[in-house]
Amino acid sequence: MIKRLGIVVFFFGSFLISCKQETAKKEIENSHERIKIASKKVDKLPYYNTPDFAPSWLPSEDELKKFHKIPDFKFKNQLGNEITNDNLKGYIYIANFFFTTCPSICVKLTNNMRKLQKIYKGDDEIKFISHTVFPSYDTVEVLKKYGEREDVNSEKWYLVTGEREKIYKLARESYFADETYKQTNDKNGFIHTENLILVDKHGHIRGVYKGTLPEEVERIKRHIEILKKE
């Protein structure tokens, strides 16, 4: 009996290792695909429908109807106004997740978002949205002061707060923005991602970028011009 149990444990362990290896292999392949997209001039952008950011190219109209979209949401911005999907409907926009007291990556994220805001200040097709992952501290009043300090145009760039559970669900299930959660499934974990996410006028994710890197600003600019031509 003990011997049989040992055999079962051995095979179950082997199975888990195999699954992890296969998942790691797939993530590496998708990473390599994203690197190819980043390193070459493209005239079309892929769609991203899954947390592993596997790119899907040139879907048919029927396929596109089934593709992942950012679902409905409702938050408050830095002016206390309600922000929903309707405020971004028909716009190309860039989303990220941050918190105002972050001393590290959020500083770089905000700097690059501000650069993009300046580039597109006169472009009515482009908007920005930053979701706080620390809403218990980042109230409307705190976001307003932060926005004033960081030269955020409240008509173009929404800093939003709301219920923690709803923000975290949106980050993990809609924007696929929590890399740690993909591995741990720990719902109590803190989201701290450097990703900037490019969303098209129909709510599809079309690009993911390391938002702390200044060179990614140029790549986002190129990709926005591609989306404008669709």
Side-chain angles (χ1 to χ4, degrees):
M1 179 68 180
I2 294 175
K3 184 177 179 181
R4 185 179 300 172
L5 181 60
I7 293 171
V8 171
V9 171
F10 171 78
F11 279 108
F12 183 66
S14 299
F15 173 75
L16 288 178
I17 291 171
S18 176
C19 288
K20 288 182 179 179
Q21 289 175 338
E22 186 63 31
T23 300
K25 181 181 177 183
K26 184 177 288 188
E27 289 181 353
I28 290 171
E29 289 173 351
N30 292 336
S31 177
H32 288 166
E33 182 69 19
R34 293 201 300 274
I35 290 171
K36 287 180 183 178
I37 296 167
S39 62
K40 67 179 182 179
K41 294 289 182 69
V42 294
D43 57 6
K44 297 287 183 183
L45 294 182
Y47 293 78
Y48 296 101
N49 299 296
T50 55
D52 61 0
F53 288 114
S56 299
W57 294 92
L58 300 176
S60 66
E61 287 188 17
D62 288 339
E63 289 173 329
L64 196 54
K65 290 176 183 177
K66 302 174 185 177
F67 270 26
H68 174 80
K69 288 185 178 183
I70 305 302
D72 292 343
F73 60 80
K74 185 188 297 184
F75 299 117
K76 293 280 187 180
N77 76 347
Q78 64 266 46
L79 300 183
N81 298 329
E82 187 175 271
I83 299 298
T84 70
N85 295 66
D86 288 340
N87 296 93
L88 296 169
K89 190 175 181 180
Y91 292 94
I92 296 168
Y93 71 91
I94 299 165
N96 77 315
F97 294 84
F98 82 115
F99 59 107
T100 61
T101 53
C102 170
S104 55
I105 68 173
C106 298
V107 176
K108 294 179 180 179
L109 284 173
T110 297
N111 287 343
N112 284 333
M113 288 281 274
R114 187 170 56 247
K115 287 179 183 177
L116 287 163
Q117 176 190 242
K118 185 176 180 179
I119 291 167
Y120 294 103
K121 65 180 180 180
D123 192 326
D124 293 335
E125 291 185 74
I126 311 299
K127 286 197 174 186
F128 307 88
I129 184 167
S130 296
H131 314 72
T132 178
V133 294
F134 193 8
S136 60
Y137 179 84
D138 288 338
T139 60
V140 167
E141 292 76 15
V142 170
L143 291 181
K144 186 173 187 294
K145 290 179 181 178
Y146 182 86
E148 290 170 350
R149 186 176 79 237
E150 298 296 338
D151 196 27
V152 172
N153 178 353
S154 59
E155 295 297 317
K156 196 169 189 68
W157 182 359
Y158 308 127
L159 310 178
V160 298
T161 188
E163 294 179 34
R164 184 185 188 276
E165 293 76 12
K166 291 182 179 179
I167 293 171
Y168 274 54
K169 183 176 181 181
L170 189 77
R172 288 168 174 159
E173 298 181 10
S174 303
Y175 287 102
F176 312 133
D178 188 1
E179 293 86 352
T180 303
Y181 179 70
K182 296 171 191 175
Q183 299 174 13
T184 65
N185 287 319
D186 180 9
K187 292 185 177 181
N188 296 315
F190 188 74
I191 295 176
H192 204 205
T193 175
E194 62 182 330
N195 284 350
L196 296 181
I197 301 114
L198 179 63
V199 182
D200 68 18
K201 293 180 179 181
H202 306 288
H204 298 291
I205 297 175
R206 305 298 297 278
V208 184
Y209 314 86
K210 294 298 182 185
T212 55
L213 302 178
E215 57 266 30
E216 290 286 71
V217 171
E218 295 302 314
R219 192 159 71 92
I220 291 171
K221 284 169 56 181
R222 294 199 304 270
H223 290 182
I224 283 176
E225 292 310 306
I226 291 171
L227 288 185
K228 283 184 173 186
K229 294 174 184 177
E230 287 190 345

